[in-house]
Amino acid sequence: MEREGTESGMRKIEYCPISMKRLLVEMKDTSELMVDLGYSAVLYDDEDLAMEVIRLEEKMDVYDYHVQMAAMLAARTVEDAEALSGVLQIASAAEIISNAAGDIASIVLLKMGIPSELKKDLRQADETVGRAVVGSDSKVTGRSLEEISFETEAGMSVIAIRRGESWIYDPEPGTVIVAGDILFARGHDEGVPLFLEMTTGKPAVPKVGQESGIGQLDRAVDIIVEMKNRSELAVGLAYTAVLFDSEEVAIEVEVIEEEMDEMKYDLQRWVLRAAKHVDDIENLRGLLHLAVSTEIISDAALKIANVVLHDIEPHPILAMAMRESDEVITRVEIAPGAEMDGETLGDLDLETETGIYVMAVKRGGRWTYNPKPKVTLAAGDLIFARGSKSGEELLLKMSGFAPDRPPRS
């Protein structure tokens, strides 16, 4: 067993047999959820969200311990150890991502300054996560997620539920909500107040942020938003590289990580120049902290991609774990005459229609990463995407995918 914590609050981790596949699924899902919650805590200046991240960080420590124990017990020979080295590397990367998410959440808990202009731009850049405690008089109490239909009513999708000390990730449509449940939902910023009102039974009261008064902040905001977007793309591409054993995709993760280093240095230079013009430099401290934590996430993504770049033979359990994750990674080929053939990503609106996010498009030997809405798809294109299993099924239909004709590599 392992002990962790301070001397005044030592906590034991009791070993119990858990399958390696289950541990990898939990570590991947939990670390990705933590990143969502960490950024959302900053956006909404929400200490409750930030504390959820810290609780999950402790849970990740337990998973990491059990992964190491399982690997040591499973390795009987040198060959066994080599086969498990990639598994341990990916588990370690997930732990690093979770620690970075905890550092992002600490911006709120330590009351570091984050300019309100940045919060506004981050909301417009990507989806956010809302947290709500189900009230006893809420209209969702006693109803299933399918009956409630948060997606239709608020444009939000429930990604996790905390019920006491237990977590339900990617809950099924038939999951019934009970009073006291803590729901976490992902969607666009304008849907968060509707989600909160439906769940708590009380009108949402938005927090109004004051302008920071920092001059020429646009450049810093642009850098942070781009770093957030690229770090999340890097993680998705890294898992894609491992799942499909693609050196091309792994190299792209390496390029993104190098660009992230440059963006971090660029922001640091901006902050140093701006500091002499700011009365309260606390407003700049949070920017630096956020940039460093975000860059660490891209470092962890490269660690995952290095399983491919260093020619480490991927253990079959890795692909199995990724396919059982809440957010699956998929690859489909567009068939001639399919619904997607000749349409732009913007017209298809895949994120709304299927809940699927397109990470990359491969046409012949050319890759387009993080494609824009104006990109037109064509028969023969390979789509690399991530999202829910139900969304994957819709994507397969839209691509004209035939089960007996798997997509080409």
Side-chain angles (χ1 to χ4, degrees):
M1 75 183 64
E2 180 178 291
R3 294 176 181 269
E4 66 173 30
T6 61
E7 289 186 358
S8 58
M10 298 295 284
R11 184 169 64 84
K12 295 180 180 179
I13 299 178
E14 298 285 351
Y15 172 74
C16 58
I18 306 174
S19 74
M20 181 72 81
K21 181 180 70 176
R22 186 72 250 155
L23 287 167
L24 287 174
V25 170
E26 293 288 350
M27 292 190 79
K28 178 179 180 294
D29 289 345
T30 303
S31 62
E32 291 175 337
L33 174 63
M34 288 175 66
V35 173
D36 282 337
L37 296 182
Y39 279 117
S40 295
V42 170
L43 294 184
Y44 297 105
D45 196 24
D46 191 320
E47 291 191 10
D48 289 330
L49 269 178
M51 283 306 303
E52 293 293 350
V53 178
I54 301 305
R55 293 187 188 99
L56 288 172
E57 191 173 5
E58 295 174 356
K59 193 172 184 179
M60 283 290 290
D61 291 340
V62 176
Y63 289 147
D64 186 52
Y65 166 75
H66 279 93
V67 162
Q68 294 180 53
M69 287 290 292
M72 286 188 285
L73 291 171
R76 309 291 186 190
T77 65
V78 173
E79 289 74 19
D80 289 342
E82 288 177 343
L84 288 168
S85 64
V87 173
L88 287 174
Q89 190 158 316
I90 289 177
S92 173
E95 170 74 0
I96 291 169
I97 291 171
S98 76
N99 289 338
D103 288 340
I104 291 171
S106 72
I107 292 172
V108 177
L109 299 175
L110 298 177
K111 302 191 184 305
M112 298 182 193
I114 285 287
S116 59
E117 295 93 328
L118 173 60
K119 298 177 185 180
K120 193 184 305 178
D121 274 47
L122 280 175
R123 289 176 182 175
Q124 295 169 357
D126 280 311
E127 292 180 321
T128 57
V129 173
R131 171 192 183 275
V133 180
V134 178
S136 56
D137 55 350
S138 166
K139 64 179 183 180
V140 307
T141 303
R143 300 170 65 197
S144 70
L145 289 175
E146 188 172 31
E147 292 172 323
I148 299 165
S149 188
F150 281 114
E151 291 89 345
T152 303
E153 298 296 325
M156 301 287 287
S157 175
V158 175
I159 56 175
I161 301 172
R162 182 157 73 86
R163 183 171 292 169
E165 295 300 316
S166 300
W167 283 84
I168 304 172
Y169 297 113
D170 194 24
E172 298 293 332
T175 301
V176 176
I177 303 303
V178 300
D181 279 354
I182 301 176
L183 306 187
F184 299 86
R186 181 189 291 122
H188 293 289
D189 188 59
E190 58 268 22
V192 173
L194 295 172
F195 165 71
L196 292 174
E197 187 168 347
M198 289 177 65
T199 309
T200 64
K202 301 175 183 178
V205 181
K207 292 183 179 181
V208 180
Q210 295 182 342
E211 295 294 306
S212 64
I214 301 175
Q216 299 180 331
L217 188 62
D218 289 351
R219 176 58 183 160
V221 169
D222 289 346
I223 294 172
I224 288 288
V225 171
E226 185 63 18
M227 288 185 73
K228 176 183 182 293
N229 291 341
R230 292 206 181 195
S231 67
E232 291 173 340
L233 174 64
V235 172
L237 291 179
Y239 281 122
T240 302
V242 173
L243 181 60
F244 300 110
D245 196 20
S246 172
E247 186 175 354
E248 285 180 293
V249 179
I251 289 172
E252 188 65 22
V253 175
E254 190 173 37
V255 171
I256 292 174
E257 193 278 330
E258 291 171 357
E259 292 173 343
M260 289 282 286
D261 286 339
E262 287 301 316
M263 284 188 279
K264 183 184 72 173
Y265 298 145
D266 194 7
L267 183 76
Q268 289 173 336
R269 284 191 291 269
W270 182 92
V271 168
L272 289 172
R273 286 196 298 266
K276 60 184 178 182
H277 303 296
V278 177
D279 293 333
D280 184 4
I281 61 171
E282 194 65 25
N283 275 324
L284 298 175
R285 183 179 168 213
L287 281 176
L288 287 175
H289 195 85
L290 186 59
V292 170
S293 300
T294 303
E295 194 269 334
I296 288 172
I297 293 174
S298 73
D299 289 342
L302 180 58
K303 187 169 186 175
I304 295 170
N306 276 338
V307 171
V308 176
L309 294 175
H310 295 168
D311 202 25
I312 299 171
E313 187 67 30
H315 196 286
I317 203 170
L318 291 174
M320 294 168 63
M322 288 181 209
R323 291 300 304 166
E324 290 191 16
S325 173
D326 291 344
E327 188 175 72
V328 299
I329 295 170
T330 189
R331 174 183 61 179
V332 298
E333 178 184 346
I334 300 177
E339 183 179 345
M340 299 173 73
D341 186 8
E343 296 289 334
T344 67
L345 285 172
D347 290 337
L348 290 168
D349 198 14
L350 293 175
E351 288 191 54
T352 301
E353 295 298 323
T354 68
I356 286 287
Y357 168 70
V358 176
M359 296 182 291
V361 177
K362 183 181 182 183
R363 179 173 298 168
R366 183 176 179 182
W367 288 85
T368 302
Y369 294 99
N370 203 15
K372 303 301 180 186
K374 65 181 181 181
V375 170
T376 301
L377 303 175
D381 285 352
L382 277 177
I383 306 294
F384 292 80
R386 67 172 188 255
S388 65
K389 294 181 180 69
S390 59
E392 180 186 40
E393 293 173 4
L394 291 172
L395 183 69
L396 293 176
K397 291 179 181 178
M398 294 173 71
S399 69
F401 175 79
D404 58 346
R405 184 176 60 81
R408 297 191 303 268
S409 297

